[in-house]
Amino acid sequence: MPNVYDQDLIKSFWPKLMCPVRMKDIAHKREPLPNAYSGARTAFESDHDRILFSTPFRRLIDKTQVFPLEKKYDTIRRRLTHSYEVSSLARSFGNDLVFNSPELFPDAILPQRNIPVVLATIGLVHDMGNPPFGHEGESAIQYWFRRRLEAEPGLFKGFTEQQQQDFLKFEGNAQTVRIVTHLQVLNDLYGLNLTLGTLSALLKYIVPSHKVNKKQDLAKGKFGYFASEKAVIDEIESYTGLHEQRNPLTYIMEACDDIAYSVLDIEDAVKKGVISYADIISFLKSANEEDPDEHVSEVINRTSRDYGNYSDIDDLSYHELNDIAMVKFRVYAINTLMQSARQAFTDNYMAILKGEFKQDLLVVCGAKRLSALLKKFCYRHIYRNRDVLGLELQGFNTITGLLDIFWEAINDCEDKGELASPYSKYVFERISENYRRVFHHAVQQGEFPEAYCRMQLMTDMLSGMTDTYAVTTYEDLLKRKQ
C-alpha cells in the first residue's frame, strides 16, 4: 500500500526548517542574502564549503576512526576519510529521495539542489568535535572530571546541573556545535556562521546535558550542546520551529554514519590483517543459520558468488583475493542497508515530520538484523582487539595527562598573572589564540562561572588536537617540566 503524505504539512514544514538565516544576520538585524535557495551558490552550498575549507575539518586527517596512531597501513581510514564517506552516502540518499520521491519536499526550497547538499554538509561535519583517539578520547575527558571531582568536592561550586554535566558527560557532538558556532574564529565570535537550517540538521542530539534520556527518545540518548551554546540553540528552535525535535535530515545522516562505520571498519580490519574476509562471512552464515534473514542471505550469497568467481584466477594472491572480496562485500552490504534505510524513512516520513518517530532508521528498517550483526561483529572482533585496546590506553593516558597539565597551568596563569610560573606560561601559550580569545570574551561577559570558562578552554584545546599532536605535545610538556 503506497504511503499517504500530508502535503499541507510538507509545504509549511520544510521552508521553515530550511532556514537560510545566519546568527550574524540576527545580531545585525538584517535579512539573509537574496536567492538563498538558488543563484550561483545557494546558502546551503556555501555552508558545505565553509565546512570543507575549515581548519578543524582538515585536522580530521590525523584523528582516529578505529586504529589509533596507525602508521604502517596508510590506506586505513581516519576521521577525515570516514567523514567524506558518510557525506557521500548522505548525498546519495538525498539524491534518491528528491528525484525518486519528489512528493516528500515542496518546490519552494528547490529540494533537488538543496536537500542533498545539506546532507553532504552534515556528513562532513558530524565528527568534527571529536577529541583525539576517537570515543576513547571522550571517555578520558569524562573520567578526568569524575576523578577530579572526587579529589575536589568543590570543583563545580556555583555551577548549575547542566554546567556540571557538560563536563561529566563530555560529548563530541556538542563540541562540534561549539566549533562551528563559536570557536572557529574568523573576524568575530560567530564561528563559521552557518545557516540555522544547516545547524538544525547537524544537531544529532536535541537536549542539554541534564536532560539526557535514552529510554524516552534515542535523539535524547546523549546531549547535543553545551550551556555555552544555549542562545544559539534557542534561535535555531525559534526560526525552524523544532523544539527538542530532531531534524528529519539528521535521521538520514545518522543512518549513513552507522552504515559507514559498521561496514567500512570491517574492511579496514581486513586490510590491516586483524581479521579476514572468511571471518565475517563465517560469522554471518552462523548467525543466519540460527535465525534466517533475507537481507543477510542476500549479502552472503552475492558476495560468495563473486568470491568463487575470483578464487579461480591463479594470478591472484591471497591478499589480493581478500581485498577484492571485501570490495564486493562492502558494495553489497552498503547497498542493502541504504535501500532498506531509505524505505524506512519514507514509511515513517509523516511521523518523523511530526516528531513522533523515536527510533533510528536502521533499528526499524527491513535490514535491521544485518545492521545489528555487523555492529556485533565489529565490537567482538575489531574494537576489542588487543592492539586497538593498547593504543586506546596510550591515548587515554595522554589525554588525562594533558588535562592535568593544562588545568594547573590555566589556573596558575589566571589566578597569578605575571607571577605565574614560567612553565605555566609556556603551557598557556600552547593553547590556540582562537580558544583564548573566546575564553576571555566569555569571562568578560560574566554569564558563566569563571571556572566553567576555564574548563571549556581546556576541553576546547584538547578536542582540537590531532592524535599525533596530542602525543608530541604531552611528551614535550613532560620533558620541559623536569
Side-chain angles (χ1 to χ4, degrees), residues 135-271:
H135 292 296
E136 190 61 34
E138 289 176 315
S139 298
I141 293 173
Q142 295 164 4
Y143 171 83
W144 187 89
F145 279 104
R146 291 197 307 270
R147 186 191 66 183
R148 197 81 187 192
L149 182 60
E150 291 174 358
E152 300 177 35
L155 181 67
F156 295 130
K157 183 179 180 180
F159 283 34
T160 65
E161 179 63 20
Q162 179 184 359
Q163 291 164 4
Q164 294 182 51
Q165 295 302 321
D166 281 354
F167 299 106
L168 293 173
K169 296 177 181 176
F170 181 85
E171 177 58 49
N173 290 286
Q175 189 68 22
T176 296
V177 176
R178 181 162 170 77
I179 289 172
V180 299
T181 60
H182 282 125
L183 291 186
Q184 189 53 31
V185 175
L186 301 177
N187 59 346
D188 50 41
L189 296 178
Y190 295 101
L192 295 176
N193 196 33
L194 305 177
T195 64
L196 299 186
T198 295
L199 288 175
S200 170
L202 68 82
L203 276 172
K204 186 173 180 179
Y205 299 102
I206 56 177
V207 292
S209 56
H210 64 303
K211 289 187 177 181
V212 172
N213 188 339
K214 189 172 185 177
K215 292 182 179 180
Q216 183 185 66
D217 185 344
L218 287 180
K220 298 179 181 179
K222 297 180 181 179
F223 70 95
Y225 57 90
F226 299 117
S228 51
E229 280 63 62
K230 179 63 165 61
V232 177
I233 301 302
D234 288 343
E235 297 290 3
I236 294 172
E237 292 183 343
S238 173
Y239 277 80
T240 65
L242 296 186
H243 176 70
E244 292 193 359
Q245 178 183 338
R246 183 183 271 185
N247 187 306
L249 300 182
T250 315
Y251 287 99
I252 295 174
M253 185 280 293
E254 181 180 52
C256 293
D257 183 26
D258 285 356
I259 291 169
Y261 80 72
S262 62
V263 176
L264 301 178
D265 288 356
I266 294 173
E267 186 178 38
D268 276 353
V270 170
K271 175 70 71 173

Side-chain angles (χ1 to χ4, degrees), residues 438-449:
V438 173
F439 162 70
H440 286 129
H441 176 78
V443 172
Q444 291 168 7
Q445 293 294 107
E447 184 180 352
F448 302 99

